[in-house]
Amino acid sequence: MFTVRVQPEDFDLAAEQRKLCAGRTDIGAVVTFTGLCRDERGTLAALELEHYPGMAEEEMARVLNEAKARWPLDGAVLVHRHGLIRPGENIVLVVTASRHRKAAFCAAEFLMDYLKSCAPFWKKEHLKDGTTGAWVEAKDTDDKALEKWSGDFGT
Amino acid sequence: MFTVRVQPEDFDLAAEQRKLCAGRTDIGAVVTFTGLCRDERGTLAALELEHYPGMAEEEMARVLNEAKARWPLDGAVLVHRHGLIRPGENIVLVVTASRHRKAAFCAAEFLMDYLKSCAPFWKKEHLKDGTTGAWVEAKDTDDKALEKWSGDFGT
Amino acid sequence: MSLKLVYFAWVRERIGKPEEHVELPPSVVTIGDLIAWLTMRGEEYAYAFENAPLIRAAIDKAHVKHDAPIAGAREIAFFPPMTGG
Amino acid sequence: MSLKLVYFAWVRERIGKPEEHVELPPSVVTIGDLIAWLTMRGEEYAYAFENAPLIRAAIDKAHVKHDAPIAGAREIAFFPPMTGG
């Protein structure tokens, strides 16, 4: 089972993993990644996540197909939320299932690196003092994270 | 919060992740790894997991401390089951929480590689025809997986 | 050539609208040409595209570079580098 | 020297017991010496340790190599390569 979703509501990590594994005895490893809204400075009321409807789903499906071509995956789920998300809440979920742990780990990390740099989502800060803060800036390290997938990769 | 447990009963992935993140807004990434009992040939009734009580917990705590020294972790959980485990059931859980996704991914993969090769657990097959099968043999690839952690590592 | 343009994040905020329909002269062949053409339309566009190389573009919901031809496009999007995940 | 020995997995099955207490002569200094001494005790030990380099050992619940001295040990374990996880 391979699924991609963009939604305003929260997701259920355990339910997604259960659905992937239901009735199967050939899956040996499941890796999940949950990205959460952080507030290190204590000034953030919420992040507003804007997205490009249609393209967001298409890009997520594209990177998922890329991961399927690279590793022997038995299932995967990508869920990305949009709208207002408060500190401590979930933003993004990646679940990968495979016979082998190495494939599940590599695919999950690959999917996150690509989601960060290719999926059309943008974060804007809403501050506790009622003002609207800045748009979160893209990080160089996110582009650099892609480089390691351009040559050899683990299997 | 850093926790290590060896137990016969199943674990609750979502509950472990919730406990790690409860009341915190500084965690940006949580990675989980679930290792499951596989039955590719369709002949397995169950795996029997034997362990060395005391040493199993000590080794798990030792590799967890090693991971804490290498990456900026905000929390981690290691749970390993023992006893009879049927195909499709959970065997092992690793949860890592960090500010940054790279640290959470690296630490989770490191912990699994070390658990496989250093934690005193052994698997024996019980077959559907009522006979006792072989002890599962250790894999070369598990020892090789350790090599990549001996030099430089991601942060 | 008639085209739908869509804008996101601070590109949208600077231009002041989420989308619009435009009629393009035949001289506009690539994404880069389109950015140059938009920049001439007013201050809000000049502000949005002031650092043009930074701006990402998509044709019909697929990423493209600035030298991509726009012939046949139905919808072109402009947005800042993405910050999802 | 008096010592508790514990065995796991097929080492335990081959020796036929999970643990025992032994009195060691002073000539037994290292883990390797202990394996050689055990191997002389009977067929079941010879079978368990027939591929001695493969066998892992722990002193007081910490992994050690075969050249590790056993002086001061309270509990020594022997087991096959681990297959957890």
Side-chain angles (χ1 to χ4, degrees):
Chain A
M1 197 185 72
F2 294 88
T3 314
V4 157
R5 288 202 316 274
V6 177
Q7 61 188 39
E9 63 270 22
D10 197 11
F11 46 77
D12 181 337
L13 166 72
E16 299 296 341
Q17 176 158 335
R18 255 195 316 273
K19 274 187 275 176
L20 268 196
C21 298
R24 301 186 67 155
T25 58
D26 57 340
I27 293 172
V30 181
V31 170
T32 76
F33 175 90
T34 306
L36 299 105
C37 177
R38 268 195 309 150
D39 175 31
E40 274 179 312
R41 285 166 299 165
T43 56
L44 189 72
L47 284 177
E48 182 182 348
L49 268 113
E50 180 171 337
H51 76 298
Y52 185 174
M55 182 172 172
E57 292 86 345
E58 279 181 35
E59 277 296 306
M60 289 161 72
R62 190 180 63 77
V63 298
L64 188 50
N65 280 329
E66 178 76 23
K68 284 166 71 175
R70 289 183 178 220
W71 294 281
L73 295 183
D74 294 309
V77 181
L78 300 183
V79 186
H80 204 303
R81 294 180 66 192
H82 64 88
L84 276 184
I85 298 179
R86 273 159 242 288
E89 289 185 358
N90 295 324
I91 297 175
V92 64
L93 174 69
V94 171
V95 188
T96 55
S98 179
R99 279 157 181 74
H100 303 294
R101 74 184 189 280
K102 183 74 186 157
F105 269 120
C106 283
E109 199 172 353
F110 169 89
L111 287 167
M112 271 312 299
D113 285 350
Y114 269 79
L115 275 189
K116 282 255 174 196
S117 295
C118 301
F121 290 87
W122 301 271
K123 295 189 185 107
K124 185 176 198 168
E125 295 178 337
H126 289 252
L127 302 180
K128 280 183 181 163
D129 63 11
T131 61
T132 300
W135 288 92
V136 173
E137 280 193 53
K139 287 192 210 119
D140 256 7
T141 51
D142 287 332
D143 283 333
K144 289 216 178 78
L146 290 191
E147 286 170 17
K148 79 167 173 180
W149 304 111
S150 61
D152 288 340
F153 43 85
T155 48
Chain B
M1 197 185 72
F2 293 88
T3 314
V4 157
R5 288 200 319 273
V6 176
Q7 61 188 40
E9 64 271 21
D10 197 12
F11 46 76
D12 181 338
L13 166 73
E16 298 297 341
Q17 176 157 335
R18 256 196 315 275
K19 274 187 273 176
L20 268 195
C21 298
R24 300 186 68 155
T25 58
D26 57 341
I27 293 173
V30 181
V31 170
T32 77
F33 175 90
T34 307
L36 299 105
C37 177
R38 267 196 310 150
D39 175 31
E40 273 180 311
R41 286 166 300 164
T43 56
L44 189 72
L47 284 177
E48 182 183 348
L49 269 115
E50 179 171 338
H51 75 297
Y52 185 175
M55 181 171 171
E57 291 85 345
E58 278 181 36
E59 276 297 305
M60 288 161 71
R62 190 180 63 77
V63 298
L64 188 51
N65 280 328
E66 177 74 24
K68 284 165 71 175
R70 288 184 179 219
W71 294 282
L73 295 182
D74 294 309
V77 181
L78 299 183
V79 185
H80 205 304
R81 294 180 66 192
H82 65 87
L84 276 184
I85 297 178
R86 271 159 244 287
E89 290 185 359
N90 295 325
I91 297 175
V92 63
L93 174 69
V94 171
V95 188
T96 55
S98 179
R99 281 160 181 73
H100 302 295
R101 75 182 188 282
K102 184 76 186 157
F105 269 120
C106 284
E109 200 172 353
F110 169 90
L111 287 166
M112 271 310 301
D113 285 350
Y114 269 79
L115 275 189
K116 282 256 173 196
S117 296
C118 302
F121 290 87
W122 302 271
K123 294 189 185 105
K124 185 178 198 168
E125 295 179 338
H126 290 253
L127 302 180
K128 280 182 181 164
D129 64 11
T131 62
T132 300
W135 288 92
V136 173
E137 282 193 53
K139 289 196 209 110
D140 257 8
T141 51
D142 286 333
D143 282 335
K144 290 218 178 79
L146 290 190
E147 287 170 17
K148 78 167 175 181
W149 303 112
S150 61
D152 287 340
F153 44 83
T155 47
Chain C
M1 182 183 178
S2 179
L3 200 63
K4 182 182 180 186
L5 300 181
V6 294
Y7 310 117
F8 293 96
W10 54 255
V11 172
R12 171 181 55 71
E13 287 182 343
R14 288 182 181 191
I15 292 175
K17 50 189 150 191
E19 60 178 73
E20 63 184 315
H21 285 82
V22 292
E23 286 292 329
L24 297 182
S27 61
V28 176
V29 175
T30 66
I31 292 287
D33 295 340
L34 177 53
I35 291 174
W37 183 80
L38 285 168
T39 301
M40 306 298 287
R41 293 181 85 201
E43 274 182 16
E44 67 276 32
Y45 293 95
Y47 182 35
F49 293 107
E50 68 181 358
N51 189 357
L54 190 76
I55 303 298
R56 309 296 176 93
I59 295 181
D60 295 332
K61 300 179 176 171
H63 292 293
V64 293
K65 298 195 168 167
H66 286 199
D67 60 2
I70 64 169
R74 290 182 305 269
E75 178 175 297
I76 293 181
F78 291 106
F79 43 80
M82 290 144 286
T83 55
Chain D
M1 182 182 177
S2 179
L3 200 63
K4 181 182 179 187
L5 300 181
V6 294
Y7 310 118
F8 293 96
W10 54 256
V11 172
R12 170 180 55 71
E13 287 182 343
R14 289 183 179 190
I15 292 176
K17 49 189 151 192
E19 59 178 75
E20 62 184 316
H21 284 82
V22 292
E23 285 293 329
L24 296 182
S27 60
V28 176
V29 176
T30 67
I31 291 288
D33 296 341
L34 176 54
I35 290 175
W37 182 81
L38 284 168
T39 299
M40 307 297 287
R41 295 181 86 202
E43 273 180 16
E44 67 275 33
Y45 293 95
Y47 181 35
F49 292 107
E50 67 181 358
N51 189 357
L54 191 76
I55 303 298
R56 309 297 176 93
I59 295 181
D60 295 332
K61 300 180 177 170
H63 291 294
V64 294
K65 298 194 167 167
H66 287 199
D67 60 1
I70 63 169
R74 290 180 305 270
E75 178 175 297
I76 293 181
F78 292 107
F79 42 79
M82 289 143 285
T83 55

